[in-house]
Amino acid sequence: MSILVTGAAGFIGYHLTLKLMSEGHEVIGIDNLNDYYDPALKKTRLKSLTEQDHDHKFTFKELDISDEYALQSLGKGHQFSHIYHLAAQAGVRYSLTNPQAYTQSNLVGHVNMLELARHQKELKHFIYASSSSIYGDSTTAPFQEDRMTEQPKSLYAATKKSNELLTQSYSHLYGIAATGLRFFTVYGPYGRPDMAPWLFTDAILAGRPIKVFNQGDLRRDFTYVADIVDGCFRLLNRPPENSLQSIFNIGHNQPVQLMTFIETLEHILGLEAEKIMMPMQPGDVYETSADITKINKHTGFKPKTSLTEGLTNFVTWFKEYHQ
């Protein structure tokens, strides 16, 4: 099967592409290699993909999904059996100061991808990244997929909710079998520099203080990237029935307190962090907590990686990457 992965140089896209290649699938990966964080990390991921592509299964094209004509050209030159659409402008806080980046990538780019999908005659399944952020400040945990999601607390969350609505419309109009995945706080090797595991590890090793928001009173459903990829892969050949859209949570289902996360990381590093207690930040939510009953029934998905194991793997990679 020929599979398109958008955001292939991104964190989850990189790991998913490796998995697809290892299972014998041909992958076309696209990414615009933007500078939201250091493009050197994205290029390192691409180098790793090339080095592990022993059977010549991977082809990379530098392409921006907001470029309608570039995507049309790609679609005319390839027939994809499956699409994993992971490219997006990420980050809750960044959306407060750079809203246009989210409009272009997450709204215009998503519609362009849906247009690409509807003209792919051999397409069997369109799988895309939504986000746990669309639940806003829900107070009843764990979060179920049928929960009301009409009050997003950030522009990023609003764009992800819009993606689900847009996809529902295309599924109905054009018979596109589509699945949206609400990711919950993904971490692991090759992770993003703007997320807590990287920020905290980097600061603690360098002897700098870390900022602890809401005085540490936050809960997050940290989910190891290999578990996320396992769930994504299980959905490959399990499209929704009758060409309707399915929505699944994909998380660890065991949220932890932020201070517990920090203490675990301190233990792994053998260092104590200097902490600056900060107030709640605009756009943040108190808790993320995935009810994974639905995806478990559909695919058998069940996360296996503990926080200690996952953070140990991340720290090992982080130290090697910075040597």
Side-chain angles (χ1 to χ4, degrees), residues 36-55:
Y36 168 61
Y37 58 82
D38 189 355
L41 177 57
K42 301 175 184 181
K43 293 176 182 177
T44 297
R45 295 183 188 125
L46 288 176
K47 181 181 178 183
S48 175
L49 288 174
T50 301
E51 290 173 347
Q52 297 182 67
D53 183 19
H54 305 300
D55 298 320

Side-chain angles (χ1 to χ4, degrees), residues 39-238:
L41 177 57
K42 301 175 184 181
K43 293 176 182 177
T44 297
R45 295 183 188 125
L46 288 176
K47 181 181 178 183
S48 175
L49 288 174
T50 301
E51 290 173 347
Q52 297 182 67
D53 183 19
H54 305 300
D55 298 320
H56 305 290
K57 296 290 186 182
F58 178 64
T59 302
F60 176 73
K61 298 179 182 293
E62 187 172 347
L63 190 154
D64 193 321
I65 60 170
S66 67
D67 187 336
E68 175 186 359
Y69 300 105
L71 272 184
Q72 287 178 355
S73 178
L74 178 72
K76 291 176 182 177
H78 297 85
Q79 282 296 324
F80 302 111
S81 60
H82 299 75
I83 294 174
Y84 281 97
H85 174 36
L86 306 180
Q89 178 58 59
V92 169
R93 294 175 193 135
Y94 189 67
S95 69
L96 301 176
T97 55
N98 295 273
Q100 293 300 332
Y102 293 79
T103 301
Q104 286 300 307
S105 183
N106 299 9
L107 297 179
V108 174
H110 192 78
V111 171
N112 288 345
M113 287 302 303
L114 288 169
E115 278 292 300
L116 171 68
R118 83 176 180 102
H119 291 293
Q120 287 286 310
K121 296 180 180 179
E122 305 299 324
L123 186 68
K124 295 179 175 65
H125 201 178
F126 179 81
I127 303 168
Y128 69 96
S130 185
S131 170
S132 63
S133 66
I134 72 165
Y135 289 109
D137 249 338
S138 181
T139 57
T140 306
F143 307 157
Q144 297 177 325
E145 289 89 346
D146 59 1
R147 179 91 34 102
M148 292 294 291
T149 54
E150 309 305 321
Q151 294 182 323
K153 290 195 66 180
S154 67
L155 176 62
Y156 170 71
T159 63
K160 288 300 185 178
K161 177 61 178 179
S162 298
N163 289 169
E164 293 184 3
L165 294 173
L166 289 164
T167 305
Q168 180 62 35
S169 175
Y170 267 72
S171 293
H172 172 73
L173 289 171
Y174 305 114
I176 298 173
T179 296
L181 295 175
R182 293 174 179 170
F183 293 129
F184 280 72
T185 318
V186 189
Y187 74 101
Y190 290 91
R192 284 177 17 215
D194 63 322
M195 297 187 70
W198 183 301
L199 291 171
F200 289 172
T201 300
D202 189 45
I204 293 170
L205 288 174
R208 300 192 309 272
I210 63 174
K211 294 180 179 179
V212 183
F213 295 113
N214 204 38
Q215 316 302 319
D217 186 20
L218 296 172
R219 287 168 57 84
R220 291 291 181 268
D221 200 343
F222 291 100
T223 313
Y224 190 62
V225 66
D227 291 328
I228 288 286
V229 167
D230 175 61
C232 291
F233 184 76
R234 286 170 180 265
L235 283 161
L236 181 69
N237 290 317
R238 296 187 67 87

